Amino acid sequence: MTEQKLFAYGSQGEWTATPDGNRRRVVLHTDELMMVEFAFEKDGVGVLHSHPHVQASYVAEGRFEVTVGGKTEILSAGDSFIAPSNVTHGVKALEAGRLIDSFTPHRADFLV
């Protein structure tokens, strides 16, 4: 059995291009929970989508137009949102920024 990673550092983790033209890096994960950092350039879009995972997102930097379940709000650094399981959601970066997303359970598709 491998030892569980309990700490992560900003200098660690490989950035991966996302299908919608942004970048992500898996920060930490267990089977039950995953933390992922997403980076967006101005006008970058996280396309509307849904998944069975519950997602909680924190705006670490920038401003985003966020849509969850058909409702749209403008969120800035320090704000957050939740996308419940199977609810359609997406974002548009109004300026360059970063989101810190947590997923439960973990996104196995991000570990491939």
Side-chain angles (χ1 to χ4, degrees):
M1 180 176 201
T2 60
E3 186 175 333
Q4 179 65 53
K5 184 177 176 184
L6 300 176
F7 300 94
Y9 301 91
S11 61
Q12 297 176 330
E14 186 175 322
W15 287 96
T16 304
T18 62
D20 49 19
N22 303 298
R23 298 181 304 140
R24 75 169 174 249
R25 74 178 182 99
V26 174
V27 178
L28 287 170
H29 70 90
T30 67
D31 288 344
E32 299 84 14
L33 183 64
M34 174 180 268
M35 182 181 289
V36 181
E37 180 177 12
F38 286 85
F40 295 80
E41 296 300 323
K42 183 180 186 305
D43 297 322
V45 173
V47 297
L48 288 171
H49 65 287
S50 66
H51 43 70
H53 316 82
V54 175
Q55 174 181 331
S57 298
Y58 175 80
V59 181
E61 183 178 288
R63 288 179 55 242
F64 291 84
E65 179 182 272
V66 179
T67 301
V68 179
K71 183 174 181 183
T72 301
E73 302 251 347
I74 304 298
L75 300 182
S76 299
D79 298 338
S80 55
F81 67 93
I82 288 181
S85 179
N86 297 312
V87 171
T88 301
H89 58 283
V91 301
K92 178 180 179 183
L94 301 177
E95 57 191 51
R98 294 180 302 114
L99 298 176
I100 307 298
D101 292 356
S102 294
F103 299 94
T104 183
H106 78 279
R107 296 279 307 255
D109 55 321
F110 287 1
L111 298 174
V112 187

